[in-house]
Amino acid sequence: MDNLLEKFLGLSSLDNYNTSVAASIELSLERLLESRVSESDQDQLIENTLNMGSILLEVGKRAQRYRFSKHNSVCWALSHDLTIKVFAMLDTKSLCSAAATCWMFNKCAMNPLCYADIDLTTVVPRVNNAVVATMIHRAGKRLRSLKLGVLTSPTTLSGHSGPMVYGIDSSVDAGLSRNNKRSCQGKDSYILSRSCLTSLSLDGGASGALLKKLHLYNIDKMDNTTLRVALSVCQALTDFEIVGLVTELKQTLESVSTNCPNLECLLIESYKTGRDDSLKSTTCVGFINGCPRLTSLALRGFILQDYKIRILMKGFRKLKFVDLSASYSITGTFLRNLGSGTSGHQLESLILRECMHLKEVEVGRLLTAVLSGGFKFLKHLDISNKEGLASDHDWYDRCYSPSIPVKLVMEERPGLCLVADFPPEGSFMDTEQISESEVNSDANLDLERTGATSESSLSMLSSESSYNSDQGNYLYASSDEVDFLGA
């Protein structure tokens, strides 16, 4: 074989190779084809010729890459260990590009240290479950951060603990719609599904054991069961974000409370605004007890009653960042007297953007408290609403030019970034909103019965009489909540 290949390749050294040698080979092939009687034999001969050409081309390229890599190893200024450290500083996409450059870089890029922080988020779907599994396998016990999914409509929000915030209903309004995602299933597509986190549980959960950060965006068919299994092996988690997943808030918080005692930052955004009212008071208390280190909490797009938010705000003593954007039911009564307590001294950022039932009078009370010296550490406050603020007597009556002391607050507290954007004129459209008939009239009874669940919840629910006296204003407590508390 060596002699045959050497003689055959020696033909290429002739000066007239491009003409005479090519012509000779072509004539030889034609004679061989004429010697074959059947067409099938001729077809087979042509296929063998093409295969041999492909083999020679691939072998030649591989040999060339190997020689180039040896040259790179001699010329490359950094040592092997130092190259790995540099590669470990690259983002995942750049790392994969470097790995495809040459054999030497590919060998360095396969080190587990390079996959401690895996970011496979994309604007359009380009990653499937197999890619995720490969990356997690390469990282092994070194895995510290994992980001997966499709990002849509990112915007920067001052005060947020992370670099980006994603718009409500982003999985439906922008990028690849859920219907299009489903149509791709069953094909060799780039769509992540619920099993993309399975690799975290392999080998006794070795990959997930030291995972600190987990961000999931718009992953198709991800449910609470799959999420609970993944979190069960991620007990070192400190930063958890899920956006656009069809998961129930109550079950998600229960999974977090049970499995993530070191959690510091939590962001959950509903896949559809105002559709999930599953959160219960006992779940709030369990969440507080299970994650005592929480400093940043974002619950966006859910139906949240004021007294439940009050429980969370009073319970988490280290809370500095709160984002309740597009929370449908809150009126703002949970903020009463909050600035004078322990939690109020810690709070640095409060986002109440696009909260449909947020009342003008409660915003006024909040700003008055700020002017009076409350919320001393507050640096960022967002009360903007494209539909205006709700009036005190009827939330259908919108306030587009609210009489709140915004200018005075900005003068008295120059260190506070106050965002209060409202439309110049009324533009409220009542579309798919929950009817007024769903107002809960039994909130006081609910709170009294909830107090029996634990001593900690009792102290939080009865801490201030001025707050409890306004329970009749709480909107839309779910029927599930009433059933549970009445049991």
Side-chain angles (χ1 to χ4, degrees):
M1 180 64 72
D2 293 348
N3 293 333
L4 177 63
L5 185 61
E6 183 178 7
K7 291 180 180 180
F8 185 74
L9 296 179
L11 296 174
S12 63
S13 63
L14 299 177
D15 294 336
N16 58 348
Y17 170 74
N18 291 331
T19 55
S20 61
V21 175
S24 298
I25 293 177
E26 185 175 2
L27 290 174
S28 297
L29 180 61
E30 289 180 357
R31 286 193 294 269
L32 290 174
L33 288 173
E34 291 176 356
S35 66
R36 300 297 192 271
V37 179
S38 65
E39 291 187 1
S40 60
D41 290 341
Q42 294 177 351
D43 292 340
Q44 185 64 46
L45 181 61
I46 293 175
E47 183 176 352
N48 292 343
T49 304
L50 295 174
N51 289 339
M52 179 57 68
S54 298
I55 292 173
L56 288 174
L57 181 62
E58 180 60 30
V59 169
K61 287 183 176 180
R62 189 181 300 120
Q64 187 183 52
R65 290 196 297 268
Y66 179 73
R67 287 183 59 82
F68 285 167
S69 296
K70 290 181 65 177
H71 174 76
N72 291 343
S73 300
V74 175
C75 297
W76 184 244
L78 303 181
S79 65
H80 180 78
D81 293 341
L82 190 55
T83 302
I84 292 175
K85 290 183 179 180
V86 173
F87 280 8
M89 300 169 65
L90 299 178
D91 61 88
T92 306
K93 182 178 179 181
S94 299
L95 178 65
C96 293
S97 298
T101 303
C102 68
W103 177 84
M104 183 192 73
F105 277 10
N106 182 271
K107 184 177 180 181
C108 293
M110 292 300 107
N111 192 284
L113 284 174
C114 299
Y115 298 89
D117 301 310
I118 299 176
D119 186 351
L120 295 175
T121 54
T122 57
V123 178
V124 294
R126 291 180 179 176
V127 177
N128 56 23
N129 294 352
V131 173
V132 176
T134 299
M135 295 290 182
I136 294 177
H137 176 72
R138 289 177 183 175
K141 297 180 180 180
R142 297 286 185 176
L143 186 62
R144 297 296 182 271
S145 174
L146 179 62
K147 299 179 181 179
L148 304 175
V150 180
L151 304 179
T152 53
S153 304
T155 56
T156 301
L157 200 70
S158 177
H160 186 249
S161 57
M164 288 186 177
V165 174
Y166 301 85
I168 301 293
D169 289 340
S170 59
S171 59
V172 178
D173 297 336
L176 191 69
S177 68
R178 292 186 179 276
N179 289 333
N180 288 337
K181 286 182 181 180
R182 292 191 181 98
S183 66
C184 293
Q185 298 303 311
K187 302 178 181 180
D188 185 15
S189 65
Y190 295 113
I191 304 300
L192 290 173
S193 65
R194 71 183 72 181
S195 58
C196 65
L197 299 177
T198 303
S199 298
L200 293 176
S201 304
L202 300 179
D203 298 328
S207 296
L210 298 177
L211 185 65
K212 297 289 186 179
K213 181 184 295 185
L214 178 61
H215 293 184
L216 307 173
Y217 305 103
N218 304 305
I219 298 178
D220 194 49
K221 297 181 180 179
M222 178 68 73
D223 54 18
N224 284 106
T225 301
T226 307
L227 202 59
R228 184 172 60 252
V229 173
L231 291 178
S232 66
V233 297
C234 300
Q235 298 193 9
L237 206 63
T238 60
D239 187 345
F240 184 38
E241 290 189 10
I242 55 175
V243 173
L245 273 60
V246 188
T247 54
E248 189 181 68
L249 180 60
K250 172 181 175 292
Q251 294 185 27
T252 302
L253 290 183
E254 288 176 348
S255 298
V256 168
S257 305
T258 304
N259 300 296
C260 307
N262 299 314
L263 195 67
E264 297 176 2
C265 301
L266 176 65
L267 185 153
I268 306 177
E269 182 176 300
S270 175
Y271 80 101
K272 190 69 174 177
T273 307
R275 294 297 178 89
D276 189 347
D277 62 348
S278 61
L279 184 61
K280 301 181 184 300
S281 299
T282 51
T283 305
C284 295
V285 176
F287 179 34
I288 293 169
N289 294 332
C291 304
R293 301 181 181 180
L294 199 73
T295 60
S296 175
L297 175 64
L299 302 175
R300 302 202 297 258
F302 296 99
I303 299 178
L304 301 172
Q305 291 76 36
D306 285 73
Y307 69 93
K308 296 174 185 177
I309 299 301
R310 180 74 171 190
I311 293 173
L312 296 175
M313 294 285 285
K314 296 291 286 185
F316 287 116
R317 302 297 183 182
K318 300 180 181 180
L319 205 58
K320 295 183 178 181
F321 176 89
V322 175
D323 182 358
L324 302 173
S325 298
S327 297
Y328 187 74
S329 296
I330 62 173
T331 65
T333 55
F334 72 92
L335 292 166
R336 294 184 183 181
N337 298 325
L338 191 65
S340 59
T342 304
S343 298
H345 288 293
Q346 296 291 328
L347 193 62
E348 296 180 0
S349 298
L350 177 62
I351 314 298
L352 300 175
R353 195 176 188 91
E354 308 302 341
C355 294
M356 183 62 67
H357 289 86
L358 184 62
K359 291 184 177 181
E360 179 189 15
V361 64
E362 299 301 338
V363 172
R365 287 172 177 169
L366 169 62
L367 297 184
T368 301
V370 171
L371 290 172
S372 301
F375 298 96
K376 293 182 179 180
F377 292 94
L378 192 62
K379 299 178 181 178
H380 183 83
L381 174 63
D382 191 342
I383 53 175
S384 303
N385 198 315
K386 62 184 178 182
E387 306 295 356
L389 297 175
S391 64
D392 189 32
H393 61 282
D394 186 356
W395 75 274
Y396 281 102
D397 185 9
R398 312 302 295 183
C399 304
Y400 299 97
S401 299
S403 56
I404 52 180
V406 174
K407 185 176 180 180
L408 183 58
V409 170
M410 295 178 71
E411 293 176 353
E412 296 291 330
R413 293 280 296 270
L416 171 60
C417 177
L418 176 56
V419 184
D421 298 328
F422 303 102
E425 60 183 21
S427 60
F428 174 70
M429 297 295 291
D430 183 22
T431 57
E432 298 182 2
Q433 302 295 350
I434 301 178
S435 65
E436 280 286 314
S437 61
E438 295 176 339
V439 176
N440 175 42
S441 61
D442 298 325
N444 284 322
L445 179 60
D446 294 348
L447 290 175
E448 293 173 1
R449 291 176 177 175
T450 307
T453 58
S454 69
E455 293 181 0
S456 59
S457 61
L458 178 60
S459 62
M460 286 185 290
L461 294 174
S462 60
S463 59
E464 296 167 7
S465 59
S466 61
Y467 175 76
N468 290 334
S469 64
D470 194 48
Q471 297 300 323
N473 290 330
Y474 295 138
L475 299 177
Y476 309 134
S478 67
S479 58
D480 291 339
E481 185 75 31
V482 175
D483 292 341
F484 177 83
L485 296 174

